[in-house]
DNA sequence: CTATATTGCAACCGACATAGTTACGGAGAT
DNA sequence: ATCTCCGTAACTATGTCGGTTGCAATATAG
């Protein structure tokens, strides 16, 4: 399959609207930073609004976070756009009459969930504010770009 | 994309050849447990042999692990068949002239690597022997299947 | 109040990764 | 010698994902 960058792009989007909250944020403008199309941006905003991370539409206003970036973890973002999609996939269609095939899916389920808990725990401990801070530190050290293309 | 089950199937395969090491292990027999085709099994065996987890071909013998299951971690298996493919994908094609777009990829790289390290660390601490043990416990408690279909 | 800009949404398309299949030469076993 | 099984390459079928098009609804500007 084509690998999904939705999670990364969503973090990008949320950071962007937080950092540029004083500007007029059109989907076109946001799309220029992510290098994607405005429609894709609107689609992502729709999902994030549905998940409660972006405030419901309020008459022509720019999209804005529904709560401060310190209160949004990357696990919240992952859950919002990937719907808690497992990190590792289990082949559930195995031979139930074989002692190995019959039990592998369940065994993997429990083992994978331990590994996933470790990763998701780490994501849960990282907030959008951390991302924004790191972006701004990097910008002050190396960057001199503007918001424009 | 279609989601990959190669990692799961490889663990299944390795457990299978360890548990049934006294039987004649044809690719057909192994495939019957994973419910896939013999060719797919041979392809996986090829990768695992390349990675050093299965002994090089030795004249008509059944495939066998190159070292005991306690010395094979699930991270070894993941590395062998997924080539350390990252758990989270980064959209590297962002706008370098935007202060956000210019730095998001690097920031995500460092943040993701922390989460991945957590998951891979857990996989590294789990061995093929653990998997085999859990399969056998489950088999003794619930199962009564045979190796046949 | 009309014109322009922008959004939200649905349908569709093209690219691409993956599992499965077909095919065949070669090595071992009997 | 024959039969079985392996290893590998080429091809196919399928599903996911990002991107595009099109349009009605809403908002802002003039």
């Amino acid at each position: 399959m084509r690998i999904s960058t939705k999670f990364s792009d969503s973090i990008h989007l949320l950071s962007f609207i937080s950092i540029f909250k004083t500007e007029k944020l059109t989907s076109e403008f946001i799309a220029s930073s992510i290098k994607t199309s405005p429609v894709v941006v609107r689609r992502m905003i729709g999902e994030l609004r549905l998940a409660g991370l972006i405030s419901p539409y309020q008459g022509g206003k720019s999209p804005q976070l529904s709560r401060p970036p310190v209160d949004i973890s990357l696990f919240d973002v992952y859950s919002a756009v990937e719907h808690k999609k497992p990190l590792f996939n289990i082949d559930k269609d195995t031979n139930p009459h074989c002692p190995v095939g019959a039990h592998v899916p369940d065994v993997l389920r429990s083992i994978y969930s331990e590994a996933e808990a470790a990763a998701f725990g780490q994501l849960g401990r990282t907030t959008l504010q951390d991302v924004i801070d790191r972006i701004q530190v990097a910008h002050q050290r190396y960057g001199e770009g503007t918001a424009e293309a």
Side-chain angles (χ1 to χ4, degrees), chain A:
Chain A
M1 86 189 122
R2 199 168 171 180
I3 51 179
S4 175
T5 56
K6 204 159 52 161
F7 179 40
S8 293
D9 288 341
S10 298
I11 296 173
H12 187 154
L13 187 156
L14 292 168
S15 306
F16 192 90
I17 69 178
S18 177
I19 290 173
F20 289 110
K21 54 171 156 267
T22 59
E23 314 274 324
K24 167 100 176 94
L25 293 169
T26 67
S27 58
E28 178 81 39
F29 181 40
I30 301 171
S32 76
S33 175
I34 309 183
K35 272 207 195 170
T36 182
S37 83
V39 180
V40 172
V41 169
R42 282 178 242 149
R43 198 185 285 158
M44 276 195 291
I45 290 178
E47 285 189 88
L48 293 165
R49 188 160 36 219
L50 216 66
L53 298 184
I54 289 184
S55 299
Y57 183 70
Q58 301 162 334
K61 305 270 276 296
S62 293
Q64 54 183 274
L65 302 185
S66 59
R67 49 183 200 266
V70 254
D71 292 330
I72 297 177
S73 79
L74 298 193
F75 181 65
D76 294 332
V77 181
Y78 187 86
S79 304
V81 298
E82 300 284 5
H83 307 101
K84 309 204 169 148
K85 188 185 76 183
L87 260 22
F88 306 101
N89 299 108
I90 296 172
D91 184 350
K92 285 181 269 288
D93 186 25
T94 58
N95 186 344
H97 302 297
C98 164
V100 177
H103 302 294
V104 160
D106 279 337
V107 168
L108 289 184
R109 210 175 330 270
S110 77
I111 286 175
Y112 285 174
S113 72
E114 294 166 18
E116 281 165 0
F120 289 149
Q122 184 61 38
L123 287 185
R125 262 171 263 126
T126 310
T127 71
L128 195 58
Q129 187 64 56
D130 295 328
V131 176
I132 293 168
D133 289 344
R134 296 204 205 189
I135 290 171
Q136 287 174 336
V137 166
H139 179 55
Q140 272 149 35
R141 289 170 58 190
Y142 312 108
E144 60 264 329
T146 71
E148 321 297 328

